[in-house]
Amino acid sequence: MPSLIAFDTPDWPSWPPYWQAGEIRLSGSGEEHTGASGGAGRSEAVLLALAAIAVPLLGWVFWALVLRLGSNDFHDYWLAGRLVLEGRSPYDVGALRELAAQEHLSLQVGGGYSYPLPFAVVMVPFAALPFGAALVAFNSLSLVAFGLTVPAWVLWAHGRSPDLARRRLALAVGAGLYPPVYGTVVNGQANLILIPLLALGTACVLEETRPLRRFGGGLAIGLAAIVKLVPGVLVVPLALGRRTGAAAAVVAGALAALLVAVFVAPWGAAGSGSLASLFDPDSYYTNQSINGFVTRLVQPTDRTLPLFGNAFDPRPVMIALTASFALLTLLFLWRSRTALASRRGGALGVGLALVAGVVAAPKDSFWNEAFCLVAVGLLIAVDAPDLHLGRLDRLDRGLLAAWLATAVLWTGVWAIEPARSGQLAPCVNLIWSSSLYGLLALWLLFVRRLRLPCEARWL
């Protein structure tokens, strides 16, 4: 079987790595094979879309109709949209509780609505519907968005060669199997709706020859960042990689969305200063950031007992560790700034920043780790475009496996809910942060891939 060209070079001559304008060039035989016909291509796209949404769709049906469990996060979204619709602020916790009681919705309000105003404004059309219909519409839109993004990404990054059809299908299935995707749907979270903005925006900002496309990609990332703040960290690798227009567009997209929301619903911004509470210590079990890990060490929760009960104030420790991690990531990106200007280096730098943002975000739930699919997708696109993971060395494959295995482990713990007391209480506490350990493994993988092709093995 002839081999695909250029796999041993540090930078790919074209983007995607070996697919350009629907044509796959193979070396070693003098043959050229063009991509699938339009009809066959559309058929594969549909198949990849169905493969991607099959597991989360079935999981949602089982969750709602068999287990009869609700979607707590969507309660918060819907109520916030309803308050904006009624001319009230979504940041009014008392009004949120009152409306929840009127609508007979159980709600863990915590600190109340915890997203910037634009998302509450976007939720207004859903809030105009009865809650049940709104939930079905929102989750259906989430699945459609994810189902359209996965085939677009897979075919963009890995071409249409018939030889890779099964591997592309396996990749689409794997994306749908990633536990945060299922968790996003059953909890009514917003991540899958944002995936197209983040994924397709990222693909555009890595374009080298079309400034307008890079700018448009930055705007899309900015729109995602105004809902979930993590995508905003991509400004750093984009700026260091001399993609200043794209970096500026990320900021412009977020600010424009905020200004439009304030203009449309100025009353909705009242009390938005409460968003500062996002930086408070948070021991909630889904919080898989450094914040959650440190806070659970010293504070009890309904699922864990502290290892060092009230031994220290978690706030300064959490801030110090998060700042140190952020500075370390920035150092790696700075040292790799020359590589970031290339397509491969830019892709790996964006992936590293995205994973670091998930780890460091003060209250980043397990469901938000769905964004890591974009990071891993970039890694595979540039370092294993033929979907042969054997192109990664043994340690790198182990780090990638650790990321996925810990996500599965956390999901199992979430389903089982082991007793928090007893001789295994310390282990139970630590295991509730299991996906954080996998994220750190993924972060290390990106550090290695970003540095090792350019330098001697140093880590």
Side-chain angles (χ1 to χ4, degrees):
M1 184 71 185
S3 60
L4 294 162
I5 64 169
F7 283 120
D8 57 345
T9 58
D11 289 298
W12 308 113
S14 62
W15 183 265
Y18 66 91
W19 170 51
Q20 188 173 19
E23 185 179 80
I24 306 299
R25 296 183 183 273
L26 302 176
S27 63
S29 66
E31 296 177 293
E32 290 188 359
H33 301 280
T34 58
S37 66
R42 285 191 292 272
S43 297
E44 181 176 9
V46 171
L47 178 61
L48 293 176
L50 294 176
I53 68 172
V55 171
L57 176 59
L58 291 175
W60 177 31
V61 171
F62 181 77
W63 179 274
L65 301 183
V66 178
L67 299 180
R68 296 188 176 277
L69 297 173
S71 300
N72 183 69
D73 291 282
F74 186 75
H75 291 179
D76 204 1
Y77 301 165
W78 186 83
L79 292 169
R82 178 61 67 88
L83 288 176
V84 171
L85 190 61
E86 295 177 355
R88 296 189 285 175
S89 170
Y91 303 103
D92 186 338
V93 177
L96 204 67
R97 288 197 179 99
E98 178 185 354
L99 184 57
Q102 291 175 2
E103 298 291 338
H104 307 290
L105 296 176
S106 60
L107 179 68
Q108 296 177 356
V109 293
Y113 175 73
S114 57
Y115 295 85
L117 179 60
F119 187 56
V121 173
V122 170
M123 288 303 300
V124 166
F126 294 96
L129 300 173
F131 178 80
L135 174 60
V136 171
F138 184 83
N139 276 354
S140 298
L141 181 61
S142 295
L143 288 169
V144 169
F146 186 68
L148 292 176
T149 303
V150 169
W153 180 281
V154 170
L155 295 174
W156 167 77
H158 305 288
R160 299 175 184 270
S161 168
D163 295 335
L164 298 183
R166 291 185 179 180
R167 295 188 180 209
R168 290 193 295 268
L169 181 60
L171 186 62
V173 172
L177 281 171
Y178 185 47
V181 172
Y182 160 77
T184 289
V185 175
V186 299
N187 284 283
Q189 263 275 359
N191 301 308
L192 299 191
I193 287 181
L194 301 178
I195 283 285
L197 294 173
L198 178 59
L200 303 183
T202 297
C204 288
V205 298
L206 294 174
E207 170 64 53
E208 288 187 319
T209 60
R210 300 181 183 179
L212 286 178
R213 179 171 292 184
R214 289 199 302 270
F215 190 83
L219 290 177
I221 294 172
L223 293 178
I226 199 61
V227 179
K228 302 279 189 176
L229 302 181
V230 167
V233 302
L234 300 192
V235 167
V236 175
L238 292 175
L240 290 177
R242 298 194 292 275
R243 295 176 172 87
T244 52
V250 174
V251 178
L255 289 179
L258 182 60
L259 292 175
V260 169
V262 172
F263 176 78
V264 171
W267 59 87
S272 58
S274 63
L275 289 176
S277 65
L278 287 173
F279 298 95
D280 291 342
D282 180 14
S283 61
Y284 196 60
Y285 69 95
T286 63
N287 185 2
Q288 295 299 292
S289 66
I290 294 172
N291 180 328
F293 171 77
V294 171
T295 307
R296 284 189 292 271
L297 290 179
V298 292
Q299 292 183 1
T301 73
D302 61 343
R303 304 192 186 203
T304 62
L305 293 176
L307 271 66
F308 313 102
N310 298 315
F312 56 84
D313 181 356
R315 183 187 297 273
V317 176
M318 174 264 294
I319 292 175
L321 287 177
T322 302
S324 299
F325 180 74
L327 288 173
L328 184 60
T329 303
L330 182 59
L331 174 63
F332 286 132
L333 290 171
W334 175 257
R335 290 183 61 186
S336 303
R337 60 191 181 279
T338 301
L340 294 180
S342 69
R343 282 167 169 161
R344 178 184 180 275
L348 293 177
V350 164
L352 174 62
L354 190 57
V355 174
V358 174
V359 171
K363 294 187 178 182
D364 204 67
S365 75
F366 177 72
W367 326 124
N368 293 345
E369 292 177 26
F371 290 154
C372 290
L373 285 177
V374 176
V376 174
L378 288 169
L379 171 68
I380 296 174
V382 296
D383 280 357
D386 61 347
L387 297 173
H388 283 273
L389 295 183
R391 298 188 181 279
L392 308 179
D393 66 28
R394 183 176 299 177
L395 178 55
D396 289 342
R397 293 196 304 272
L399 292 171
L400 189 62
W403 160 71
L404 183 57
T406 53
V408 174
L409 174 61
W410 190 94
T411 307
V413 175
W414 174 52
I416 297 170
E417 293 188 25
R420 67 174 191 160
S421 59
Q423 293 183 340
L424 296 179
C427 294
V428 170
N429 181 299
L430 294 175
I431 206 170
W432 272 111
S433 297
S434 56
S435 78
L436 171 63
Y437 315 142
L439 290 175
L440 292 173
L442 186 61
W443 177 87
L444 181 59
L445 170 59
F446 273 95
V447 169
R448 285 174 51 81
R449 300 308 300 182
L450 186 60
R451 301 290 294 175
L452 289 180
C454 304
E455 300 179 357
R457 190 175 296 274
W458 62 279
L459 191 60

